């Protein structure tokens, strides 16, 4: 394999994006009607917020190796204040251990968070729980884990209600007063958080360690839904797009898939998200340069390399030195920069095509404004990812692309969980 071959192997042309849009839309339709397909299209029991939700809440945000607890105060009128954030690291022994160890650890963190506050108002004990894995929701505050992703392998959770497991752990820790009022995916939290202040927001996307999206759908289009009607007649649907699989895979993607925890699953996620881009790059470099590469080439290195504009690519040189490649030439560095660019460009164009498919689904003629709320380290930290997405949307939609606003919604999932808890608490008291 030479560089020229690889370049064409990785490029996603406009017609390539159009094909993804078409296949993605057809999978969305199947998922909504309950047919077996790659997109789960999970109804979330959550409607768009009004912006008037009020009160103080605790939000748990769990979806990667960092677990965060937030205290959030919603003031209504689209205004809010995050009063306190505490980060905890979920060590490897917890993410690969047993359900009891895992949930006891989380409950312990909640106990620490609550204890440190001198006075905790009653309603602050209503908790919004963002759990960023494929969960089949069975209610506003209940849902069954379908599968683990992103390297988590905790035993005894798949097939079980994650809220029940957390409640049992909270009881073991002596915290019976803490009530999980809502369970949500991080994409849903992100959409809700932006929609609290922006009435055009109808899509939420995560581009981080993992990737996924959700959007606001008409209940009448979710033919598999037989539950209650929301007052607006709409509901947010968690697409679980990481598992979309009609994509042209390269041999490097095949290698990543074979050595991952879940072979044959999460194909789009393995071509797009931060957990895998570094590994794809490492495999190409190993193949092309015949270098003995370090065991892990982190996706964050790609951001450093791709933002290196110095003539001698000196930051790239120092980074390579740090990971054990001492005498890189300027040609080597240029090549590495090119490969990183190729891998991240492909990821951003696949993401843009998937976003375009969702927009076409809700508004085929693109006749309204849409805000796409996006969070995740890859989107936030990579120097070009967000621009590449914008450019690709322009290629797909032409001038009408100006109706689509893609906005970084930082820490949206935690805040969104508080808003969802507020809505759920409100319903609960009515
Ligand atoms: C999970 C999704 C989640 C996404 C982003 C994926 O691995 O399946 O539920 O939204 O990661 O965190």
């Amino acid at each position: 394999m030479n560089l020229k071959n690889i370049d064409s192997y990785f490029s996603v042309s406009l017609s390539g994006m159009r094909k993804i849009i078409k296949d993605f839309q057809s999978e969305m339709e199947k998922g909504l009607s309950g047919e077996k397909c790659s997109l789960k299209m999970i109804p979330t029991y959550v409607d768009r917020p009004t912006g008037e939700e009020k009160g103080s809440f605790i939000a748990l945000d769990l979806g990667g190796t960092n677990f965060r607890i937030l205290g959030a105060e919603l003031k209504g009128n689209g205004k809010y204040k995050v009063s306190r954030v505490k980060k905890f690291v979920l060590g490897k022994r917890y993410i690969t251990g047993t359900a009891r160890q895992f949930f006891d650890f989380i409950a312990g963190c909640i106990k620490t968070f609550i204890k440190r506050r001198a006075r905790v108002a009653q309603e602050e004990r209503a908790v919004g729980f963002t759990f960023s894995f494929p969960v089949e929701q069975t209610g506003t505050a209940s849902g069954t884990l379908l599968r683990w992703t992103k390297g988590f392998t905790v035993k005894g959770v798949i097939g079980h209600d994650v809220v029940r497991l957390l409640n049992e752990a909270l009881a073991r820790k002596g915290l019976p007063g803490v009530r999980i009022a809502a369970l949500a995916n991080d994409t849903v939290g992100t959409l809700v958080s932006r929609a609290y202040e922006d009435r055009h927001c109808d899509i939420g996307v995560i581009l981080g360690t993992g990737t996924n999206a959700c959007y606001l759908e008409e209940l009448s289009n979710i033919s598999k839904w037989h539950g209650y009607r929301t007052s607006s007649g709409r509901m947010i649907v968690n697409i679980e797009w990481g598992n979309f699989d009609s994509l042209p895979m390269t041999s490097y993607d095949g290698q990543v898939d074979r050595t991952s925890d879940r072979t044959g699953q999460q194909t789009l996620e393995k071509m797009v998200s931060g957990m895998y881009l570094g590994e794809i790059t490492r495999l190409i470099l190993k193949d092309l340069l015949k270098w003995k590469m370090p065991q892990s080439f982190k996706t964050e290195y790609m951001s450093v390399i791709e933002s290196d504009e110095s003539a001698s690519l000196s930051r790239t040189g120092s980074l390579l030195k740090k990971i054990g490649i001492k005498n890189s030439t300027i040609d080597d560095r240029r090549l590495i920069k090119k490969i990183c660019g190729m891998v991240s460009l492909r990821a951003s164009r696949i993401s843009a095509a998937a976003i375009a498919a969702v927009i076409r689904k809700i508004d085929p003629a693109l006749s309204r404004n849409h805000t796409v709320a996006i969070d995740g380290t890859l989107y936030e930290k990579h120097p070009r990812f967000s621009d590449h997405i914008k450019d690709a949307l322009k290629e797909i939609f032409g001038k009408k692309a100006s109706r689509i606003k893609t906005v970084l919604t930082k820490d949206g999932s935690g805040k969104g969980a508080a808003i969802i808890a507020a809505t759920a608490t409100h319903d609960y008291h009515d």
Side-chain angles (χ1 to χ4, degrees):
M1 184 73 63
N2 60 38
L3 184 61
K4 212 160 152 219
N5 285 342
I6 295 184
D7 202 7
S8 63
Y9 219 32
F10 272 79
S11 81
V12 183
S13 63
L14 179 56
S15 65
M17 289 196 286
R18 290 209 170 110
K19 163 125 184 28
I20 296 174
I21 297 173
K22 194 166 149 268
D23 294 344
F24 198 94
Q25 281 190 299
S26 128
E27 290 292 281
M28 284 177 91
E29 293 295 351
K30 284 190 202 153
L32 287 173
S33 64
E35 268 178 66
K36 215 171 152 14
C37 67
S38 67
L39 298 178
K40 282 269 177 298
M41 306 298 286
I42 302 167
T44 62
Y45 291 75
V46 179
D47 196 352
R48 200 207 314 243
T50 59
E52 288 314 315
E53 292 77 5
K54 285 188 190 134
S56 299
F57 299 91
I58 292 174
L60 315 184
D61 189 2
L62 195 162
T65 39
N66 286 326
F67 163 52
R68 296 179 324 144
I69 309 183
L70 295 83
E73 198 187 324
L74 309 173
K75 302 174 186 247
N77 215 356
K79 303 252 178 330
Y80 69 94
K81 199 176 123 210
V82 172
S83 51
R84 193 163 158 237
V85 185
K86 180 113 186 58
K87 228 187 210 178
F88 301 87
V89 177
L90 264 171
K92 191 150 185 166
R93 71 191 177 103
Y94 294 114
I95 69 170
T96 57
T98 65
R100 190 164 175 138
Q101 290 166 329
F102 182 74
F103 285 102
D104 278 356
F105 175 74
I106 295 162
C109 297
I110 299 172
K111 190 166 185 175
T112 312
F113 184 87
I114 289 179
K115 256 197 173 163
R116 295 230 175 104
R117 307 199 76 176
R119 285 172 44 233
V120 181
Q122 200 52 38
E123 66 269 44
E124 281 191 310
R125 295 183 179 245
V127 175
F129 181 22
T130 309
F131 185 71
S132 311
F133 297 94
V135 164
E136 186 74 57
Q137 297 262 163
T138 48
T140 314
S142 57
T144 310
L145 180 67
L146 297 173
R147 65 162 73 147
W148 284 115
T149 56
K150 297 177 281 196
F152 280 59
T153 56
V154 186
K155 287 164 235 27
V157 190
I158 295 174
H160 296 274
D161 180 352
V162 291
V163 175
R164 188 176 57 76
L165 292 173
L166 179 55
N167 276 331
E168 286 169 3
L170 289 168
R172 283 197 291 274
K173 293 277 173 203
L175 289 169
V178 176
R179 186 171 63 85
I180 309 296
L183 171 70
N185 187 258
D186 50 354
T187 56
V188 180
T190 301
L191 188 163
V192 165
S193 148
R194 176 74 200 189
Y196 190 63
E197 51 186 298
D198 174 351
R199 67 193 176 86
H200 295 303
C201 181
D202 47 14
I203 302 179
V205 175
I206 300 287
L207 289 161
T209 309
T211 184
N212 185 17
C214 70
Y215 72 107
L216 195 64
E217 179 61 282
E218 302 289 332
L219 276 179
S220 55
N221 289 336
I222 315 175
S223 54
K224 67 180 174 187
W225 176 255
H226 302 295
Y228 70 91
R229 279 193 69 77
T230 54
S231 48
S232 72
R234 297 198 196 97
M235 186 175 281
I236 298 173
V237 171
N238 170 9
I239 303 175
E240 282 297 333
W241 81 14
N243 196 45
F244 179 70
D245 57 8
S246 295
L247 294 166
M249 282 168 81
T250 66
S251 56
Y252 305 107
D253 300 309
Q255 283 184 63
V256 167
D257 186 41
R258 280 192 297 280
T259 53
S260 71
D261 289 331
R262 310 231 170 308
T263 304
Q265 295 178 358
Q266 300 295 102
T267 305
L268 180 144
E269 182 157 271
K270 287 174 185 162
M271 294 165 83
V272 165
S273 82
M275 176 137 185
Y276 304 98
L277 294 190
E279 177 61 4
I280 300 174
T281 307
R282 185 184 79 88
L283 291 173
I284 304 175
L285 290 174
K286 203 171 128 213
D287 189 18
L288 273 191
L289 295 169
K290 309 285 174 239
W291 276 353
K292 224 173 111 40
M293 293 293 291
Q295 254 321 311
S296 102
F297 186 87
K298 297 187 182 145
T299 301
E300 66 197 57
Y301 299 160
M302 297 168 70
S303 293
V304 175
I305 295 169
E306 286 183 70
S307 36
D308 187 355
E309 299 299 346
S310 63
S312 59
L313 296 180
S314 54
R315 283 180 66 205
T316 304
S318 329
L319 185 128
L320 289 172
K321 203 182 248 166
K322 220 175 77 190
I323 61 173
I325 297 161
K326 299 224 164 55
N327 302 314
S328 61
T329 64
I330 178 73
D331 285 342
D332 295 338
R333 296 174 197 176
R334 282 201 191 111
L335 183 73
I336 291 178
K337 189 172 174 188
K338 185 152 177 30
I339 290 167
C340 290
M342 219 167 66
V343 173
S344 60
L345 180 64
R346 181 183 71 160
S348 60
R349 288 173 76 82
I350 294 173
S351 317
I355 292 172
V358 180
I359 292 175
R360 281 252 166 86
K361 169 78 183 68
I362 37 187
D363 181 8
L366 192 44
S367 52
R368 305 192 300 272
N369 289 332
H370 299 271
T371 301
V372 186
I374 313 183
D375 196 7
T377 36
L378 181 63
Y379 185 77
E380 186 194 349
K381 302 266 164 67
H382 188 277
R384 271 179 275 279
F385 216 88
S386 58
D387 285 342
H388 285 328
I389 289 184
K390 279 200 185 99
D391 292 345
L393 289 173
K394 269 186 217 147
E395 267 178 65
I396 296 166
F397 291 109
K399 279 208 188 97
K400 280 192 175 172
S402 63
R403 299 208 170 127
I404 306 165
K405 201 155 100 189
T406 43
V407 285
L408 175 67
T409 306
K410 239 180 108 46
D411 300 333
S413 55
K415 196 184 104 196
I419 299 168
I420 299 166
T423 323
T425 307
H426 176 73
D427 288 347
Y428 189 77
H429 289 307
D430 272 354

